[in-house]
Amino acid sequence: MKFRLLTLLGLTLVSCSAFITSSVFAIEEVDVKYVYAGNHGVDLSKLKGSFKIGDFSDDRGVDNLQLITDADLGDSRVSGGYQADRIITDIIQGAFTQGFIDGGATPVDSDEDMSLTGKLLSSEAQIIERNGVQMIQLTFRVNVQLHKGGRSIWQTTLFGRGRTPETEGMTASVSAALDRMINELVRDDYFLQEIR
C-alpha cells in the first residue's frame, strides 16, 4: 500500500513538473503566409541567363529551425519566443522567389546559368516606440551569394528590418522584414550589373 502511494505521489510530482516546465517554456507559433507586397519596381525580365533561387542555410546555431526569435517581447503568455509554422530559411527562399517573379523573372529549378543562395546569420526582435506607438522591430541578417559557372561572383549581407505596430502581431513584422530584404537586394546596383 505504501509503495503504491509513493508511486502515485511520484507520478503526480513528475506530471506537475512537466506541466510547469512546458508552461515556462511556451513558444508561440506564428502562421506565416508571406506574399511579397514590396513593389520594388525593378525590371528583372531580361536577365543574362536562366536564374535559380537556391537553398538558404541557417547559421544561427539554434536547434529550432522554425525559430523567429527567442524573445518574449513582454508578452506574459509567451516565454519561449516565437516560431514560424515552417522552417525560416524555406520562408526566406520563397520570399526571394516571389520578389524575382514580381520583377518579371522566371526562376528555374535546374540547369541554371546563375543562382542565388544564402545564409541566415541572425534574427532579432524587440519592442520599440515610434510616435507613441509600440512597434515590433524584427531584423533578419542574411548573407547572400550570387553564383555563376560554379563560382561565387558577388555577395553581400542584407539587413531585413521590419517595423510594425505591436497590435498587428509577429506575422506582420516577418512580412515587413522580408519585403525590406528583397527590396534591398534588387535595388543594389552591383547586383543588378551582374544579373542584367
Side-chain angles (χ1 to χ4, degrees):
M1 181 73 173
K2 268 187 174 178
F3 179 73
R4 275 193 212 162
L5 188 57
L6 287 174
T7 302
L8 184 58
L9 180 61
L11 288 173
T12 303
L13 288 173
V14 169
S15 297
C16 287
S17 173
F19 174 75
I20 290 168
T21 302
S22 68
S23 297
V24 170
F25 296 107
I27 189 164
E28 183 170 318
E29 185 163 292
V30 177
D31 187 13
V32 179
K33 291 185 174 139
Y34 177 75
V35 175
Y36 176 69
N39 302 318
H40 56 68
V42 178
D43 183 6
L44 299 172
S45 63
K46 295 178 179 135
L47 302 182
K48 290 179 181 175
S50 58
F51 192 84
K52 176 182 177 179
I53 306 293
D55 293 332
F56 281 70
S57 63
D58 193 326
D59 286 19
R60 297 177 296 170
V62 297
D63 293 329
N64 181 359
L65 299 181
Q66 295 174 242
L67 186 71
I68 298 168
T69 178
D70 59 3
D72 63 20
L73 304 179
D75 188 336
S76 60
R77 298 166 298 141
V78 177
S79 56
Y82 297 81
Q83 74 176 20
D85 55 325
R86 56 192 191 283
I87 295 173
I88 290 291
T89 51
D90 290 349
I91 294 170
I92 292 171
Q93 182 183 15
F96 277 110
T97 300
Q98 289 186 45
F100 273 78
I101 290 171
D102 184 76
T106 307
V108 298
D109 293 326
S110 61
D111 300 323
E112 69 278 0
D113 297 310
M114 296 177 287
S115 66
L116 182 77
T117 62
K119 296 183 249 185
L120 175 59
L121 304 175
S122 67
S123 58
E124 300 168 353
Q126 60 182 320
I127 298 293
I128 61 169
E129 187 177 315
R130 290 287 187 269
N131 300 321
V133 178
Q134 294 290 103
M135 312 278 282
I136 297 174
Q137 177 174 283
L138 174 67
T139 305
F140 289 129
R141 191 164 60 97
V142 177
N143 177 266
V144 291
Q145 305 93 39
L146 181 64
H147 305 275
K148 184 176 185 180
R151 64 187 183 91
S152 177
I153 60 171
W154 178 89
Q155 72 168 332
T156 194
T157 298
L158 304 170
F159 291 84
R161 177 166 290 154
R163 288 187 193 118
T164 56
E166 187 179 18
T167 54
E168 294 180 13
M170 183 59 75
T171 300
S173 297
V174 170
S175 293
L178 293 172
D179 284 351
R180 173 92 179 261
M181 195 163 38
I182 292 163
N183 291 346
E184 189 177 330
L185 175 65
V186 300
R187 291 180 178 154
D188 185 297
D189 290 335
Y190 295 107
F191 177 69
L192 293 176
Q193 284 173 19
E194 296 290 349
I195 66 170
R196 298 197 299 189

